[in-house]
Amino acid sequence: MNDDELSPDGRAVEVYLDLLRVRMPEEDYELLLGVVDPVLRAIEEQGVPSADLPLEGAHAQGLPQEIRDEAALVIATAVTGRLDNELVVLDIEETGPVRVVTDAATAADPARLTEIADYIRDRHQETEELRGIAEASDMPTDF
């Protein structure tokens, strides 16, 4: 096991949260916990979801981007059991900046980041096409 990996028993999350507790102002840390606690509990009870985990909802409204970013990294640590996750910002012409959490090797690989950006572009285009079809069919477009 490499130094960035810990067993998937939640120890990696504990270590990461302990590091954040030391590094962050107490008020920011409490805000962070308010966002990640429900997600961590859901992961523990139901396993890793197969869908994206948006950092939205009542607890995340009005949070500074830094806390949202740290929350994404905490959740990634819970999902992967790894401490080497990184947040990268991809500039996607169609959507604007998109934050993606990935492993350190991928974050350092421009070719992989281009592949991820291409995937996001394709997904955005498909969503817009579906939204157009739904609109033309008088169906809800809020997906």
Side-chain angles (χ1 to χ4, degrees):
M1 188 179 295
N2 128 8
D3 288 341
D4 295 322
E5 297 178 49
L6 297 174
S7 64
D9 62 0
R11 177 135 166 72
V13 174
E14 290 175 24
V15 169
Y16 193 67
L17 285 173
D18 285 345
L19 291 171
L20 291 175
R21 182 180 301 125
V22 171
R23 198 183 85 204
M24 295 177 81
E26 185 176 341
E27 180 179 298
D28 289 349
Y29 182 76
E30 292 301 320
L31 286 172
L32 173 75
L33 287 180
V35 173
V36 300
D37 273 345
V39 177
L40 296 176
R41 262 187 266 115
I43 290 171
E44 186 176 307
E45 293 169 5
Q46 302 165 8
V48 178
S50 60
D52 293 340
L53 294 170
L55 291 175
E56 299 172 358
H59 286 97
Q61 294 298 326
L63 281 179
Q65 189 62 54
E66 179 182 347
I67 293 175
R68 287 175 179 258
D69 291 349
E70 288 298 349
L73 290 167
V74 169
I75 293 165
T77 301
V79 170
T80 65
R82 297 176 59 100
L83 292 168
D84 69 336
N85 298 302
E86 291 186 28
L87 188 131
V88 292
V89 180
L90 301 174
D91 189 24
I92 311 293
E93 301 83 27
E94 296 82 1
T95 65
V98 175
R99 288 173 148 61
V100 176
V101 177
T102 187
D103 62 276
T106 299
D109 184 347
R112 282 291 294 137
L113 293 177
T114 298
E115 289 175 22
I116 293 169
D118 290 344
Y119 173 79
I120 293 169
R121 272 187 213 91
D122 291 346
R123 189 169 168 186
H124 175 73
Q125 182 179 1
E126 290 171 5
T127 300
E128 289 305 308
E129 288 173 7
L130 291 172
R131 185 170 280 122
I133 292 168
E135 189 175 289
S137 304
D138 291 326
M139 297 175 71
T141 59
D142 58 342
F143 50 87

